[in-house]
Amino acid sequence: MYRVRVRGVPPVVLALRRFPNPRLTGIGAGLFAALTMFVLACVDRLLFDSSELVYGLLFLPVSALTALWVRPADLVTAPISVPIAFAVGVFPISGGSEGLGGQIMGLVTALAVHAGWLYGGTLIAGLIASVRKVRQMRARRQYVLAQERGGAPASERAPRPAAASASASAAAKPVRAGAGGAGGAGAAARRPQRP
């Protein structure tokens, strides 16, 4: 007798399946990342005295979640919205001086100093989005190949249009001699052929 070995699902996969899995639009993913980074920067300013290390470490998982939660049609927006979210979030911890000019200089300085975290988060979002896109393209290619081979389930096959089935059934009906009226088979036979 043969023994059937049933492979169990690893506990890590089960734990990851319990997490929420939303599908955000491109704008929604950008808003999620920007608002999350702004709130985390405010918490960083209150609790950790505007620590750049804490902000940078918090930026990496937000970048990953943004790339994971964006819907497949908007995957290209994840690596674009993540740097914008970093810039929005770094504003509370930039430490600029009084006035608008001082705040802008502090923001530009903070972006230049923390460019490593910015590039790291953008790279993570870009890699995750690229892997998801490749998997989506591979699944689509397998689906098309299955359709071409006729291996798709009957529920996924496209039904025949009603007009095509009606014309096929009309063509299969026998025509009696002399039954064709003005638009029947007799009229088609009497029509002169063009050279």
Side-chain angles (χ1 to χ4, degrees):
M1 284 211 144
Y2 293 104
R3 291 183 185 177
V4 178
R5 297 176 87 185
V6 179
R7 297 173 98 186
V9 179
V12 175
V13 174
L14 290 175
L16 288 174
R17 287 182 182 168
R18 290 188 203 120
F19 283 105
N21 191 17
R23 287 293 169 231
L24 303 172
T25 62
I27 295 173
L31 288 174
F32 160 74
L35 290 175
T36 304
M37 289 314 301
F38 186 79
V39 169
L40 290 176
C42 292
V43 170
D44 180 26
R45 184 173 181 173
L46 291 174
L47 299 179
F48 301 105
D49 196 29
S50 300
S51 171
E52 295 89 7
L53 178 64
V54 172
Y55 181 75
L57 287 175
L58 291 174
F59 175 64
L60 300 179
V62 170
S63 300
L65 286 177
T66 303
L68 285 172
W69 286 352
V70 70
R71 66 182 183 174
D74 296 328
L75 279 173
V76 73
T77 62
I80 297 169
S81 59
V82 165
I84 297 170
F86 185 88
V88 168
V90 84
F91 186 74
I93 62 169
S94 62
S97 60
E98 295 293 325
L100 181 64
Q103 291 292 328
I104 291 174
M105 286 305 295
L107 180 66
V108 170
T109 304
L111 287 174
V113 170
H114 308 306
W117 293 110
L118 176 64
Y119 293 146
T122 307
L123 180 65
I124 288 173
L127 285 175
I128 292 174
S130 299
V131 168
R132 285 185 61 200
K133 187 66 175 178
V134 167
R135 289 182 64 192
Q136 178 189 8
M137 289 168 50
R138 186 175 296 157
R140 185 179 297 152
R141 185 179 304 135
Q142 289 175 352
Y143 177 76
V144 168
L145 287 175
Q147 288 288 344
E148 288 175 357
R149 292 179 187 155
S155 62
E156 292 181 6
R157 291 186 188 150
R160 289 177 44 185
S165 62
S167 65
S169 64
K173 288 183 182 177
V175 179
R176 290 185 298 158
R190 284 179 270 156
R191 202 176 303 148
Q193 292 183 355
R194 293 184 183 168

